[in-house]
Amino acid sequence: MSALNEQALEYVAKYFKALAEPMRLKVLNALQDGEKNVSQLTQISGGTQANISKHLTLLAQYNLVKRESRGTNVYYKIADPSVYELCELVCGQIGNRMALEEDIKKLFTATSQTD
Amino acid sequence: MSALNEQALEYVAKYFKALAEPMRLKVLNALQDGEKNVSQLTQISGGTQANISKHLTLLAQYNLVKRESRGTNVYYKIADPSVYELCELVCGQIGNRMALEEDIKKLFTATSQTD
DNA sequence: TGACTATATAACTATATGGTTATATAGTGC
DNA sequence: GCACTATATAACCATATAGTTATATAGTCA
């Protein structure tokens, strides 16, 4: 990272920003076991159709998911599973190091190792 | 990540959010070769003192950096070097997969492997 | 064609936040 | 105490964005 210039930093920041939203993480989470269409993702995530569609559009813009229309449905899938490595790393860091408060610690130590 | 609940997702999202800002990445970048005080970081980053101080406060809240006062100076250092793994992963992903535009590709392939 | 379903988008609101300027706080040395 | 330096914070503005509602678009099937 040492030689990254301004423009590159902005790109990296934007990438992190795409992941910095609970609903988008939820969607990515739901896509772990394979592609799903918008209706399915809407139901799983508990959001509204419009909102999920917006998030999916954003995720697709950052190439985090791939879009494929089939009939009237649009299926989305993870573009690169290495995105989950990021989440694992973050969960690990939070679980191990950031858990100053006990209740937060519990959230992660109990659940983050199950993938 | 599969079993993460709402609260955990929010925490992960917040963590990503802490990294989703060019100036903060710049500061973290500047801390790669060891601790620095606020004045140094202000100069390196090119921001204002108040702004850098705000970013540092936020980074400290998320335990991304550690704070240590010595005299009138306050020194900050990376709390856990594994944060750079995240950046590496992201740089790799952007460089390899997200580089739809050639000019963006160049930003990363030329510079991101130098750490 | 028309009814129906699935998805995307536009317009809007409310909230969060990055940056700035000015000021407060705190340590050092006289 | 006073001057000086370093850092943090408060108040403010401008912008970005998550979510909502309503509507548009597009595919399917009768």
Side-chain angles (χ1 to χ4, degrees):
Chain A
M1 191 166 106
S2 52
L4 290 182
N5 59 29
E6 302 285 323
Q7 238 182 314
L9 282 177
E10 292 209 355
Y11 239 80
V12 175
K14 280 190 181 176
Y15 189 92
F16 278 126
K17 203 166 195 173
L19 295 173
E21 222 288 318
M23 192 58 97
R24 284 197 287 273
L25 291 177
K26 212 171 188 176
V27 168
L28 293 174
N29 200 16
L31 292 176
Q32 263 195 126
D33 56 340
E35 65 170 20
K36 293 192 170 51
N37 64 34
V38 180
S39 302
Q40 294 173 309
L41 291 171
T42 299
Q43 200 195 350
I44 294 171
S45 66
T48 64
Q49 183 270 319
N51 189 20
I52 300 306
S53 187
K54 258 174 75 169
H55 283 308
L56 286 167
T57 300
L58 189 147
L59 288 171
Q61 276 172 354
Y62 285 94
N63 280 18
L64 284 162
V65 296
K66 281 182 186 162
R67 203 187 111 100
E68 188 186 317
S69 320
R70 290 208 294 276
T72 60
N73 295 314
V74 177
Y75 285 84
Y76 286 90
K77 63 180 172 185
I78 293 297
D80 183 344
S82 66
V83 68
Y84 296 120
E85 290 181 48
L86 282 175
C87 295
E88 293 283 319
L89 257 175
V90 170
C91 289
Q93 286 193 38
I94 295 174
N96 297 332
R97 199 172 49 69
M98 204 165 184
L100 304 172
E101 305 151 59
E102 271 308 304
D103 55 331
I104 291 167
K105 197 172 198 167
K106 272 181 277 176
L107 293 177
F108 289 92
T109 50
T111 60
S112 65
Q113 307 304 327
T114 53
D115 318 278
Chain B
M1 191 165 107
S2 51
L4 289 183
N5 60 28
E6 301 285 324
Q7 237 181 317
L9 283 177
E10 293 209 353
Y11 238 80
V12 174
K14 280 190 182 178
Y15 189 92
F16 279 126
K17 201 166 197 175
L19 295 173
E21 223 286 320
M23 191 60 96
R24 285 198 286 272
L25 291 177
K26 211 172 189 177
V27 167
L28 292 174
N29 200 18
L31 291 176
Q32 263 195 124
D33 57 339
E35 65 170 18
K36 293 192 173 50
N37 63 35
V38 180
S39 302
Q40 292 173 311
L41 291 171
T42 299
Q43 199 195 352
I44 292 171
S45 65
T48 62
Q49 184 270 318
N51 189 20
I52 299 306
S53 186
K54 257 174 76 170
H55 283 307
L56 286 167
T57 299
L58 189 148
L59 288 171
Q61 277 173 353
Y62 285 94
N63 281 19
L64 285 163
V65 297
K66 281 183 187 161
R67 201 187 112 101
E68 189 187 318
S69 320
R70 290 209 295 275
T72 60
N73 295 313
V74 177
Y75 285 83
Y76 285 90
K77 62 180 172 186
I78 293 298
D80 183 344
S82 66
V83 67
Y84 296 119
E85 290 181 49
L86 283 175
C87 295
E88 293 284 318
L89 258 175
V90 170
C91 289
Q93 287 194 37
I94 295 175
N96 297 333
R97 197 172 50 70
M98 204 166 186
L100 305 171
E101 304 152 57
E102 271 307 305
D103 55 331
I104 292 167
K105 197 172 197 167
K106 271 181 279 176
L107 293 178
F108 290 92
T109 49
T111 60
S112 66
Q113 306 304 326
T114 53
D115 319 278

